[in-house]
Amino acid sequence: MPTPVLLSHIDHVGIAVPNLEEAVERYRAAFGLEVVALESNPAQGVREAMLRLGPSIPDADGPASYVQLLEPLGADTPVGRFLARRGEGLHHIGYAVDDVRLAMETLALQGVRVLDSQPRHGSLGASIAFVHPKDLSGVLTELVQAALG
Ligand code: V0V
Ligand code: CO
């Protein structure tokens, strides 16, 4: 059976940075982007800012997408290790899915390594799961099911 289309659009690009406030200011100055959410996620080891692109009226012209700036909460975290190894830069791509559990199961059946056994809590109330970069052409990939409403 062919795989159903699982990804609807790019929800966010995650960028690893050593200093969140400096990065927010740089993106604000460069592009005029504004922070719509600033959150700490201890389970993921990050403090992060979501900067919204696209329509100023959400959903008027399609779904919004975001730049997600990520500062590690410590050296021994995914983003902390990434910064030490590679320096700041593109860390992951988050794709919007309608059903994160269906996407996780569909990938697992193909032997693609889904890093989470259950959906986890993500920014803006989303349910998220990560997929190993080595199984997707070197790109750490996040499945994002947006919060309802
Ligand atoms: C590591 N590698 C990467 C990578 N991080 N490749 C591409 N993109 C990345 N971001 C490569 C690394 O170069 C190594 O390849 C190999 O993977 C193992 O690296 P490692 O140093 O052992 O790294 P670890 O221990 O951090 O493990 C890597 C994984 C880990 C991807 C398994 O970072 C992870 O579980 N990440 C998922 C959670 C996460 O990233 N959370 C932060 C974002 P070579 O050199 O051996 O070839 S939180 C978020 O986005 C939220 C909350 C949200 O959107 O709502
Ligand atoms: Co993310």
Side-chain angles (χ1 to χ4, degrees), residues 15-138:
I15 300 174
V17 303
N19 183 303
L20 190 60
E21 278 67 32
E22 280 179 23
V24 163
E25 194 41 46
R26 200 171 312 129
Y27 274 74
R28 198 201 307 273
F31 300 117
L33 295 177
E34 291 298 334
V35 175
V36 296
L38 198 58
E39 298 178 31
S40 273
N41 189 327
Q44 296 289 341
V46 292
R47 203 160 68 85
E48 46 112 336
M50 293 293 265
L51 287 68
R52 194 171 69 216
L53 283 63
S56 51
I57 307 166
D59 291 321
D61 300 310
S65 57
Y66 302 85
V67 171
Q68 180 179 63
L69 299 173
L70 301 157
E71 181 191 277
L73 289 176
D76 191 19
T77 59
V79 174
R81 284 188 291 273
F82 181 92
L83 282 176
R85 202 188 256 254
R86 303 193 187 193
E88 66 180 340
L90 184 59
H91 181 258
H92 66 271
I93 296 185
Y95 294 102
V97 297
D98 292 336
D99 182 339
V100 68
R101 289 178 191 275
L102 173 68
M104 292 165 77
E105 283 164 19
T106 305
L107 291 166
L109 283 173
Q110 298 167 69
V112 174
R113 280 169 288 173
V114 179
L115 294 164
D116 301 292
S117 54
Q118 294 291 325
R120 314 269 300 268
H121 168 72
S123 48
L124 304 171
S127 295
I128 63 171
F130 284 91
V131 185
H132 203 289
K134 297 289 180 197
D135 290 348
L136 290 173
S137 308

